């Protein structure tokens, strides 16, 4: 990078040459009870403009999903009309062709070109739009997310108002943000056994849905089995009951794909003989009546056994509608149930929630550029915030240039939390201005302004390689986008030759919460004054609204401005939040705050505790029991101390309550309804283990259930929860006359069925003895082993036990269908690949299997498998000892800290599961066994004694600015992403 000291003519130091930028006036922020909100519908029309001498150039990227691949042609069982031609390459196409050359992506770009050409031709020269598509170049000097695939850029030139309307027209009339939604469906529901294929009426219905919703649908073969059996948590092994499900892939724009996905889910309910009905509710009330984390809807579904499908919360944000497609009504809520009576009960309960709902509404000003950025990049996070707080956020339509959002909630506390979270998202985007000042005798000095064609080429290159929106008006660049993209755009601009030769002024605007103003400025503005002295920049604090303010970093040299911006970012607050039960707060704070003051001074980190009273009263919200109630904050340059502070605080918490973590288990989504119907049992389970069980929303069609709580309680909670999930495994054995006679004897009941139940928690049932398909073969007996999910780890041993009891009665073990092969040999062969020794037995290659939990039982799988596979009831104490010994050897590795709950459970709790009747009870080791690592100080394990942990710590961790490659902004938010803090948090003392 060239040094700016050699460039001729530097801008004068000061702000008198800088163009003032207007700020939005402070709005009236009064709260009040209001009626439900209505969204303005439809894009702003492009009106003819009067001639104007001022020509504005605006460059922006059209977010086509050019990296979205189509389905594998080998997996396609059925495709809706024309879908195959759009989403697969033609025959004889080079296999190395990039994804963006799929016909659907090429057609989208061509349609955009036609749209821009049509507008340019019909505007009589008042507006011109140029489209370019290219692959972005890498910028190694910046730690930023690289733009992948093909980037399509549009440069619009014309009057300022027309340019912005043209941008809105393009974004709302092109299929941006294409996505693929997947719905898994059990094979036995849609397969016609007589034709050995999918039922014709199901395929016809999918074709009709694709045409009605404007999407492309594919019926795909089941996913191939995972050869490694990789699992990251309990019960998540490769399960053939999940792997043999067909997949319906839905391709389309966000709203169309969501509509089609819901229709497919309703089709599955209809196949299950469930009735369907619809009720109309005002859109802005949907997330409010659902309650925080959809608690109210869960109670309704548990009471009525109905499934409730809410529409997407942001309809018509993107104005694009496929040709001939129909949009789902934004107020239509679908309900499916076993009987019409259950549906009527669900309707009645929903109506009661609506009648009893009292709403508060608040309007908040946000920059129009940042609203568009949130709509394009952060909409999923907004949805999570709404679900967590039971609130609703109304955004203007994309590209409308309206800078106002409305937030609606049932309680002021939750409404305020939602607003703060939205404002924190807005703070992840920067705005910058770059003013060029050509001398009066520019023609004589050889410096000239660029031509319109040069400007369009220049802006397209800047925008393509940075990802920011860049405008050019009267020798002024305006840049808007995420923090990384704005800095990347500035880096590209400073390399432009005519920019180097001219004098210029730069201003970068950072948005931050008002409560952090003193934190960043320091006492008597000491931090800011020091940065201005070091970097030769000016820093101005400018108010914006009641939540956020602007930090303007202004400079006359790029390097100086960049350095000042980096220093300001280093003073921005980095934070981490986590949960500590309220009963430990006084112990941690100490008498007069002496304990916490010592920690804060030691690490230069400010710590704030939030108790139940701060969150709205004791017992007011059950969910508040598990929210993050401790926040640690420090300047970003000291972010590495946050983990150390958390570690020292958690040392004062008893192990049974320490370190809240989350685990996931995979359960067929259709069985979620049965589990939700047993909500009373689940509530008791949550209270017993101090954990929280979250089911995915009905519209997500996800199999993943999340269980969160203290890391030493989660394993027991998961085990008991999986005990509510029944499963079965079938084996087929040749049944000779001797074996058939044995099945009917009392010995079979005593030796096989009763022992399997007592030793392995497996119920054995003889399903049938049938004639085989091939003539001349023996009869076949089908044996079904039924068990609960938490005992799946003992299935292999149960099958081996059963086969060993049947062999004396004429069974050939090699003819058993459905048996699970032995795991790989536990030899040292893999560790000694270069020693050719006959003393080392060769481990057999892993075989395919029909295991209900994973495809192989090798060492690599067991390392990542379920804890309960290793300490299941039929296992011996020797297997537990070997498991603990392996953990002992791994405990000091840097990556072993806080991986997840399954690899972080206390050894005492593991052993105690085998010896709960021990007479001696140590509060830190209730098994009565002194484990080696717990013979330290007061029985604490080494993990609690280490002051320098490595690895990733769960929680809301904000990384350092100079050591991240952020997908969002990476810059810390002003509050935790889900909990929020209603009270301001001041600077460290």
């Amino acid at each position: 990078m060239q040094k700016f000291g050699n460039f001729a003519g530097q801008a004068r130091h000061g702000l008198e040459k800088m163009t003032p930028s207007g700020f939005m006036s402070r709005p009236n922020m009064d709260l009040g009870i209001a009626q439900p909100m209505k969204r303005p519908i439809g894009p702003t029309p492009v009106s003819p403009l009067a001639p104007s001498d001022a020509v504005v150039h605006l460059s922006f990227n059209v977010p086509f999903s050019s990296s979205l691949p189509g389905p594998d042609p080998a997996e396609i069982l059925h495709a809706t009309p024309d879908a195959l031609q759009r989403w697969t390459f033609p025959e004889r196409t080079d296999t190395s062709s990039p994804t963006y050359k799929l016909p659907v992506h090429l057609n989208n770009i061509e349609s955009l070109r036609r749209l821009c050409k049509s507008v340019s031709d019909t505007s009589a020269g008042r507006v011109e739009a140029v489209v370019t598509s290219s692959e972005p170049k890498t910028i190694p000097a910046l730690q930023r997310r690289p733009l992948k695939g093909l980037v399509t850029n549009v440069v619009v030139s014309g009057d300022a108002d027309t340019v912005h309307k043209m941008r809105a027209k393009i974004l709302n009339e092109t299929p941006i943000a294409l996505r693929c939604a997947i719905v898994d469906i059990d094979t036995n529901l849609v397969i016609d056994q007589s034709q050995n294929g999918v039922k014709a009426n199901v395929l016809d219905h999918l074709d009709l849905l694709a045409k009605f919703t404007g999407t492309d649908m594919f019926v795909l073969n089941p996913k191939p089995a995972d050869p490694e059996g990789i699992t990251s948590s309990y019960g998540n092994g490769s399960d053939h009951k999940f792997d043999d499900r067909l997949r319906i892939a839905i391709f389309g724009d966000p709203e169309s794909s969501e509509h089609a996905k819901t229709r497919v889910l309703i089709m599955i309910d209809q196949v299950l003989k469930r009735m369907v009905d619809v009720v109309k509710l005002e859109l802005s009330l949907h997330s409010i009546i659902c309650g925080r984390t959809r608690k109210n809807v869960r109670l309704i579904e548990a009471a009525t056994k109905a499934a409730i499908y809410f529409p997407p919360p942001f309809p018509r944000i993107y104005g694009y509608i496929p040709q001939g497609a129909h949009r789902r009504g934004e107020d239509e809520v679908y309900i499916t149930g076993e009987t019409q009576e259950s549906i009527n009960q669900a309707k009645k309960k929903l109506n009661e929630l609506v009648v009893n709902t009292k709403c508060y509404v608040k309007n908040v000003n946000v920059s129009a550029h940042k609203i568009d950025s949130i709509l394009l990049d952060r909409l999923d996070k907004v949805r999570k915030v709404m679900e967590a707080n039971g609130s609703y956020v109304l955004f203007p339509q994309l590209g409308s240039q309206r800078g106002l959002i409305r937030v609606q909630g049932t309680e002021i506390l939750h409404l305020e939390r939602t607003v703060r979270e939205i404002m924190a998202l807005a703070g992840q985007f920067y705005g910058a201005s770059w003013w060029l000042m050509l001398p009066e005798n520019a023609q004589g000095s050889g410096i000239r302004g660029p031509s319109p064609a040069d400007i369009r080429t220049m802006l397209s290159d800047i925008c393509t390689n940075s990802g920011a929106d860049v405008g050019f008006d009267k020798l002024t660049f305006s840049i808007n986008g995420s923090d990384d993209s704005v800095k990347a755009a500035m880096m590209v601009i400073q390399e432009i030759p005519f920019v180097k030769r001219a004098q210029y002024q730069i201003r970068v605007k950072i948005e931050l919460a008002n409560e952090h103003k003193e934190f960043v400025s320091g006492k008597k503005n000491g931090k800011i004054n020091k940065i201005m002295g070091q970097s030769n920049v000016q820093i101005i604090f400018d108010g914006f609204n009641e939540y956020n303010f602007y930090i303007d970093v202004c400079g006359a040299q790029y390097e100086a401005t960049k350095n000042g911006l980096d220093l300001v970012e280093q003073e921005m607050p980095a934070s981490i939040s986590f949960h500590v039960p309220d009963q430990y707060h006084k112990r941690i704070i100490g008498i007069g705050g002496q304990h916490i003051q010592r920690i804060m001074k030691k690490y230069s980190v400010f710590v704030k505790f939030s108790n139940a009273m701060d969150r709205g009263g004791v017992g007011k919200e059950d969910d508040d029991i598990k929210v993050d109630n401790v926040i640690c904050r420090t300047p970003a340059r000291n972010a590495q101390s946050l983990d150390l502070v958390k570690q020292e605080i958690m040392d004062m918490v008893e192990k049974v309550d320490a370190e809240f973590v989350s685990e996931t288990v995979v359960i067929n989504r259709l069985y979620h309804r049965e589990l939700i119907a047993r909500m009373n049992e689940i509530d008791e389970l949550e209270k017993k283990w101090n954990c929280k069980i979250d089911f995915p929303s009905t519209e997500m069609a996800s199999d993943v259930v999340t269980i969160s709580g203290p890391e030493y309680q989660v394993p027991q909670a998961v085990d008991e929860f999986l005990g509510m999930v029944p499963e079965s495994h079938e084996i087929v054995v040749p049944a000779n006359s001797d074996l058939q006679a044995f099945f009917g004897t009392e010995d079979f009941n005593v030796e096989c069925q009763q022992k399997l139940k007592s030793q392995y928690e497996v119920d054995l049932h003889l399903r049938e003895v049938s004639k085989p398909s091939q003539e001349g073969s023996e009869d076949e007996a089908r044996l079904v082993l039924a068990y609960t999910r938490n005992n799946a780890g003992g299935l292999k041993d149960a099958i081996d036990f059963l086969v060993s009891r049947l062999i004396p009665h004429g069974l050939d073990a090699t003819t058993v269908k459905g048996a699970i092969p032995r795991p790989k040999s536990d030899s040292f062969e893999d560790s000694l690949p270069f020693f050719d020794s006959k003393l080392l037995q060769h481990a057999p290659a892993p075989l395919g299997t029909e295991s209900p939990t994973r495809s192989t039982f090798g060492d690599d799988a067991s390392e990542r498998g379920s804890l309960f596979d290793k300490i299941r009831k039929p296992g011996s104490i020797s297997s537990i000892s070997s498991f603990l010994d392996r953990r002992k050897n791994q405990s000091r590795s840097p990556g072993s800290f806080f991986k997840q709950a399954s690899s972080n459970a206390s050894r005492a709790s593991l052993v105690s599961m085998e010896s709960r009747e021990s007479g001696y009870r140590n509060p830190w080791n209730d098994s009565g066994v002194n484990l080696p690592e717990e013979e330290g100080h007061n029985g604490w394990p080494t993990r609690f004694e280490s002051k320098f942990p490595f690895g990733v710590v769960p929680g809301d961790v904000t990384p350092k600015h100079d050591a991240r490659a952020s997908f969002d902004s990476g810059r810390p938010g002003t509050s935790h992403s889900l909990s929020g803090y209603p009270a301001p948090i001041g600077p460290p003392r």
Side-chain angles (χ1 to χ4, degrees), residues 708-720:
S708 56
E711 63 176 337
Y712 300 102
Q713 304 279 64
V714 166
Q716 289 92 331
V718 172
D719 183 57
E720 187 169 334

Side-chain angles (χ1 to χ4, degrees), residues 187 190-200:
T187 307
V190 295
I191 290 294
D192 188 345
Q193 298 295 343
S194 61
Q195 299 181 357
N196 196 21
V198 182
K199 296 178 181 178

Side-chain angles (χ1 to χ4, degrees), residues 79-93:
T80 55
D82 300 328
L84 196 63
Q85 291 78 7
R86 282 195 288 263
W87 288 96
T88 58
F89 288 106
E91 295 183 3
R92 300 180 182 178
T93 303

Side-chain angles (χ1 to χ4, degrees), residues 281-462:
L281 295 176
E282 166 61 35
L283 171 68
S284 61
L285 294 175
H286 290 179
S287 59
I288 293 176
I289 64 175
C290 284
R292 300 184 63 193
T293 64
R294 296 176 67 95
K295 182 178 180 181
N296 296 338
V297 173
R298 287 282 172 265
L299 295 176
I300 295 176
E301 291 177 334
T304 63
K305 292 187 177 180
I308 304 176
Y309 300 91
F310 285 92
F314 308 108
R316 305 186 185 181
I317 285 292
Y318 310 123
Y320 172 76
I321 301 178
Q323 186 175 2
H326 297 77
R327 280 283 182 253
R328 176 181 177 180
E330 63 181 35
D331 57 353
E332 293 180 353
V333 179
Y334 295 113
I335 305 175
T336 66
E338 297 175 352
T339 62
Q340 186 62 41
E341 180 62 26
S342 64
I343 294 177
N344 293 337
Q345 289 180 5
K347 284 184 177 181
K348 181 180 178 182
K349 292 181 179 294
L350 285 175
N351 183 62
E352 291 175 357
L353 288 176
V354 173
V355 171
N356 296 326
T357 296
K358 181 178 65 174
C359 295
Y360 295 90
V361 175
K362 189 167 190 178
N363 296 336
V364 185
N365 279 339
V366 182
S367 168
H369 288 289
K370 296 188 178 184
I371 289 179
D372 287 350
S373 297
I374 291 174
L375 294 179
L376 292 173
D377 296 335
R378 305 286 193 272
L379 212 52
D380 288 340
K381 291 194 174 183
V382 175
R383 181 180 299 195
K384 292 179 180 178
V385 171
M386 289 168 47
E387 184 174 327
N389 293 294
S391 57
Y392 181 74
V393 182
L394 176 69
F395 286 99
Q397 192 170 9
L398 181 65
S400 63
Q401 292 298 299
R402 299 189 183 100
L404 187 71
I405 64 173
R406 300 187 70 188
V407 183
Q408 181 171 306
T410 57
E411 295 186 19
I412 296 179
L413 174 64
H414 299 148
L415 186 146
E416 286 291 326
R417 287 179 178 175
T418 304
V419 174
R420 290 175 184 273
E421 296 292 345
I422 300 300
M423 301 308 292
L425 289 178
Q428 297 178 358
F429 300 95
Y430 285 3
S433 300
W434 191 308
W435 290 279
L436 300 175
M437 294 170 285
L438 298 180
E440 296 180 358
N441 57 346
Q443 297 293 335
S445 62
I447 301 177
R448 63 179 180 85
S451 65
D454 293 336
I455 291 175
R456 284 190 284 269
T457 303
M458 172 182 63
L459 294 183
S460 176
D461 185 61
I462 296 171

Side-chain angles (χ1 to χ4, degrees), residues 56-132:
V56 176
H57 305 272
L58 177 62
S59 175
F60 58 95
N61 293 334
V62 180
F64 287 130
S65 302
S66 59
S67 58
L68 178 64
D72 186 350
E75 298 180 350
I76 298 176
L77 290 177
H78 174 75
T80 55
D82 300 328
L84 196 63
Q85 291 78 7
R86 282 195 288 263
W87 288 96
T88 58
F89 288 106
E91 295 183 3
R92 300 180 182 178
T93 303
D94 187 3
T95 56
S96 61
S97 298
T99 302
Y100 60 77
K101 288 191 177 181
L102 280 172
V104 63
H105 300 314
L106 296 179
N107 291 339
N108 289 339
I109 296 175
E110 188 59 32
S111 299
L112 176 62
R113 294 183 188 276
R114 289 196 298 267
L115 173 63
C116 293
K117 186 176 186 303
S118 173
V119 173
S120 300
D121 294 342
T122 57
S123 64
R126 298 181 187 276
V127 63
E128 183 174 357
V130 178
V131 180
T132 58

Side-chain angles (χ1 to χ4, degrees), residues 260-272:
K261 182 178 180 181
T262 302
R263 292 280 183 174
V264 170
L265 295 175
I266 293 175
M267 179 198 73
I268 296 174
D269 283 348
Q270 290 175 321
V271 173
L272 294 170

Side-chain angles (χ1 to χ4, degrees), residues 827-863:
S827 70
F828 293 97
E829 181 182 19
D830 294 337
S831 303
L832 305 172
F834 305 106
F835 291 85
D836 186 13
S837 171
K838 294 182 180 180
L839 297 177
L840 297 176
Q841 297 180 357
H842 292 274
L847 303 175
T849 177
E850 297 183 42
S851 165
T853 53
R854 60 176 62 86
S855 59
T856 60
F857 281 71
D859 294 337
D860 53 350
S862 64
E863 283 291 332

